Amino acid sequence: ALAATERGRRVVEPIARAYRDQSRKALNAGNYRQAKDAANQALRLAQDESSRKELRAILRTCYGNLSGYSSVFNYRTTDLAAMFDADPGRAQTRSPLAASLLSLGLYDEAADEIFGTDSGKSRASRPGGTLGLSPFALAVLANRGDHADYAIAYAEPLLGSIPADFQISLMPRDLAELFYPAPYRNALLKYCSEYRVDPRLVLSLARQESRFKPGVKSVASARGLLQLIPETAQAMANEAGLKGFRLEDAYDPYIAVRLGSLYVSRLMREFPGDTYAAAAGPRDDSPAWSSWSCW
């Protein structure tokens, strides 16, 4: 915002240039930690993509030469289907169907075969078998197949071992997606578009409320992916026209996304443009919501 004004630009650009020059000089001298720190500062101030690209390249070189950073690049997995093509016998003895699905690149179906298809309370939180996959590859498979609860349970403990200033855009993609899963994409896009809410807000609420566990229930009887309390779930089901809705249906992640998206749209109408207030819940004096908590 400062750089968008003439006066601000006169202040920001020299600082950005100084940090960029400092990072180049330190890199050439083999001082990777200093180069990293300067590049991070410059990246915050860079206004054009060519500068950002150069700074990311500097950071990538620094990461490869710094302990604690270079280990992040060990979290890579080859295409899962190719892994089984190389040694099909390894998987065939455990789950022929899952191995066949993987060989066809059908990750959703393979994940369901390994982790189970039940979307409700009884869905297993652990795989029925590993198929010889490493824990990382198994988490990647879970994430590709809408079993983000397993993926994030594997990934979050890793955060403590990754430097806080590691640029997410430079992480191996499979690893970054474990930290920021986006399950039930089709349902999110469909219902968030229908109810005119940002799918990233609904996704964030699901992450915080349930860690993507569709079968979780709180002491307040809040259910499912978005932890809807019974009154909210029933009211949204009525408004959405879901005939024969039962509270147990809130454990179905697709129904939870539908009802949660509708509820978020009502909250955003209550608090226009204020996602913080919407996430916190309705006003106490709101006649429409006075008897409900948000989630």
Side-chain angles (χ1 to χ4, degrees):
L2 287 171
T5 68
E6 182 61 33
R7 182 181 177 186
R9 191 160 45 251
R10 290 197 300 268
V11 174
V12 170
E13 287 184 349
I15 298 174
R17 186 163 52 251
Y19 276 126
R20 188 169 62 248
D21 292 344
Q22 182 183 348
S23 68
R24 290 168 176 163
K25 183 177 180 180
L27 182 69
N28 291 334
N31 191 337
Y32 299 113
R33 193 163 297 278
Q34 182 181 348
K36 170 189 69 69
D37 292 342
N40 273 333
Q41 296 285 9
L43 193 58
R44 294 187 180 98
L45 300 172
Q47 295 298 306
D48 60 280
E49 183 54 34
S50 62
S51 294
R52 287 192 287 268
K53 184 176 180 180
E54 178 192 2
L55 292 165
R56 284 193 292 265
I58 290 173
L59 284 171
R60 178 63 180 84
T61 300
C62 293
Y63 291 168
N65 288 277
L66 291 171
S67 60
Y69 291 82
S70 58
S71 60
V72 174
F73 299 105
N74 294 332
Y75 291 99
R76 293 184 182 276
T77 182
T78 57
D79 180 82
L80 292 168
M83 292 173 63
F84 284 92
D85 288 342
D87 187 8
R90 179 178 58 176
Q92 295 293 338
T93 59
R94 292 172 173 82
S95 177
L97 178 55
S100 298
L101 292 168
L102 281 171
S103 69
L104 295 171
L106 300 174
Y107 300 113
D108 289 355
E109 291 80 359
D112 284 344
E113 177 66 16
I114 295 171
F115 291 89
T117 58
D118 188 353
S119 62
K121 292 177 67 177
S122 61
R123 188 169 89 164
S125 60
R126 300 318 250 186
T130 65
L131 295 181
L133 292 172
S134 69
F136 175 66
L138 196 63
V140 170
L141 174 59
N143 203 29
R144 294 184 185 181
D146 277 351
H147 291 267
D149 50 329
Y150 179 84
I152 201 169
Y154 167 83
E156 286 196 321
L158 298 178
L159 284 173
S161 65
I162 296 176
D165 64 351
F166 198 110
Q167 294 289 330
I168 190 74
S169 62
L170 294 177
M171 280 187 183
R173 186 178 180 88
D174 280 330
L175 178 62
E177 289 181 351
L178 293 184
F179 293 128
Y180 299 98
Y184 314 114
R185 184 182 303 265
N186 290 338
L188 280 163
L189 294 178
K190 173 179 170 60
Y191 294 116
C192 289
S193 174
E194 181 177 338
Y195 299 130
R196 299 183 180 180
V197 296
D198 189 336
R200 295 168 297 184
L201 175 57
V202 179
L203 189 68
S204 299
L205 288 166
R207 178 196 181 104
Q208 180 62 26
E209 292 296 330
S210 68
R211 279 303 187 267
F212 301 119
K213 296 177 182 177
V216 70
K217 181 180 179 180
S218 77
V219 294
S221 295
R223 290 164 164 83
L225 199 67
L226 283 150
Q227 287 292 278
L228 296 167
I229 63 173
E231 294 89 341
T232 304
Q234 188 63 62
M236 293 301 99
N238 293 342
E239 188 169 340
L242 292 181
K243 299 188 182 302
F245 174 80
R246 302 170 303 132
L247 288 178
E248 296 297 297
D249 294 337
Y251 292 118
D252 184 316
Y254 297 94
I255 293 178
V257 167
R258 181 176 184 178
L259 302 184
S261 299
L262 177 56
Y263 188 51
V264 170
S265 74
R266 296 300 177 262
L267 290 170
M268 290 305 299
R269 202 177 293 174
E270 181 85 2
F271 303 100
D274 192 341
T275 54
Y276 298 103
R283 290 197 305 261
D284 289 339
D285 61 351
S286 170
W289 310 104
S290 59
S291 63
W292 298 356
S293 66
C294 181
W295 305 106

